[in-house]
Amino acid sequence: MKELLNKEVENLRNELVEISEYMYHNPELGNEEFKSVQKLTSLLEEHNFIVEKEFLGLKTAFRAVYDSNKPGLTVGYLCEYDALPEIGHGCGHNMIGTMSAGAGVILSKILDEVGGRIIVYGTPAEETDGAKVIFAEEGVFEELDAAMILHPSNATSKSGTSMALYPLQFTYKGKTAHAASCPQDGINALNSVIQLFNGIDALRQHVTPDVRMHGIITNGGVAANIVPDEAVAQFYFRAAKKETVTELLEKVKAIAEGAALMTGATLEMERFELPYDNLVTHENLSDAFTENLKELGITEFATDKIFGSSDIGNVSHIVPTIHPNIGICDRSVISHSREMADATVTKLGHERLITGTLALAYTGYDVLTKKVEL
């Protein structure tokens, strides 16, 4: 049966390369990926997927279903297609979206015989307000038996882990006054932000090594001779597990409240982006994908395990999930760079596009035929 998948991906090769290159040349920021969505949904509709656009009210999200109308499992492929400001597709999402949609299409060619369903999701804005978080909160992924996504990188590696992330904004409000003639009449909100940073820095020696805390001041006042009546800081708090982040936030909030008490300012805390859970790889599904990559000629795997944060983590807490990497360039090329974007449209990038698509389809077939214990 996998020989048929080989044949189908060859039939689709030129179209997949064209879609990936089109997105490379037309990068779109999160929640603005209208051209990319049109390309991907047109491919899926062309191959008889039933496509629901503007899924969950998100303008650039979609859900595409191919149903054999026979009993069986449901395999999900996740598309990403947002680009980075000024850099373009430095995270390779043009390849991610194309490989996931392509895998769904070629696997659909044998689904009527095998049984089950294929669902391809269009999940915008992974780099900012990842739509997978919203999908997860709405219970969308509960319809799946397995979820897969494949990320281009500077080396091939097995699905590993990602860090949980919680974005928190601190807004301090005080009282303006002339900083020279009557500073005693003011309440300096910026001083609260400075004490917030000092407190968080002091906390660093009392957290586990996996914790990351990094922030910026987005508003620190308007003029040097005016006591700032408002100051705002935004922080990302990360750790290997979301439980650790939850515990960390309690300590941070206490520090933030203390910083307000020190100056007499008032404090508001709010989430300014969507939080990401840590990725929990399903090892059996990961092993199946790895074996399929080996069967397709990729045998060298890097040992990298942790890669920042991603909304795929939220999916993995609901359904068996993998997020492996496929190498498309030299190790010296880093992610989120123009060099990585350019690597997606090289000869090797195109070959790995096809190999990755096929490996995803192979693994989907293994799931549908219950060769993988989930």
Side-chain angles (χ1 to χ4, degrees), residues 278-290:
N278 57 295
L279 169 62
V280 180
T281 286
H282 191 281
E283 294 301 332
N284 290 344
L285 189 60
S286 177
D287 288 344
F289 182 84
T290 298

Side-chain angles (χ1 to χ4, degrees), residues 174-197:
K175 181 181 177 183
T176 58
H178 195 291
S181 65
C182 54
Q184 68 276 7
D185 294 328
I187 297 175
N188 195 319
L190 178 59
N191 280 347
S192 289
V193 166
I194 291 171
Q195 294 307 316
L196 170 70
F197 272 80

Side-chain angles (χ1 to χ4, degrees), residues 308-342:
S309 305
S310 173
D311 57 356
I312 190 66
N314 299 60
V315 183
S316 72
H317 286 258
I318 298 170
V319 61
T321 301
I322 57 170
H323 186 297
N325 295 306
I326 188 165
I328 64 170
C329 54
D330 185 82
R331 288 303 298 264
S332 64
V333 178
I334 61 173
S335 183
H336 286 208
S337 67
R338 290 185 177 87
E339 291 78 12
M340 181 61 73
D342 294 343

Side-chain angles (χ1 to χ4, degrees), residues 2 5 71-77 107 110-111 114-118 144-148 282 284-286 288-289 292 319-322 359-374:
K2 287 183 177 179
L5 295 177
L73 301 179
T74 300
V75 171
Y77 295 111
L107 186 59
I110 63 170
L111 195 71
V114 174
R117 285 192 307 169
I118 301 165
L144 297 180
D145 293 291
M148 288 176 269
H282 191 281
N284 290 344
L285 189 60
S286 177
F289 182 84
N292 285 322
V319 61
T321 301
I322 57 170
L360 287 170
Y362 275 14
T363 309
Y365 172 76
D366 291 338
V367 169
L368 292 171
T369 55
K370 300 182 179 179
K371 294 180 180 179
V372 181
E373 185 177 349
L374 299 173

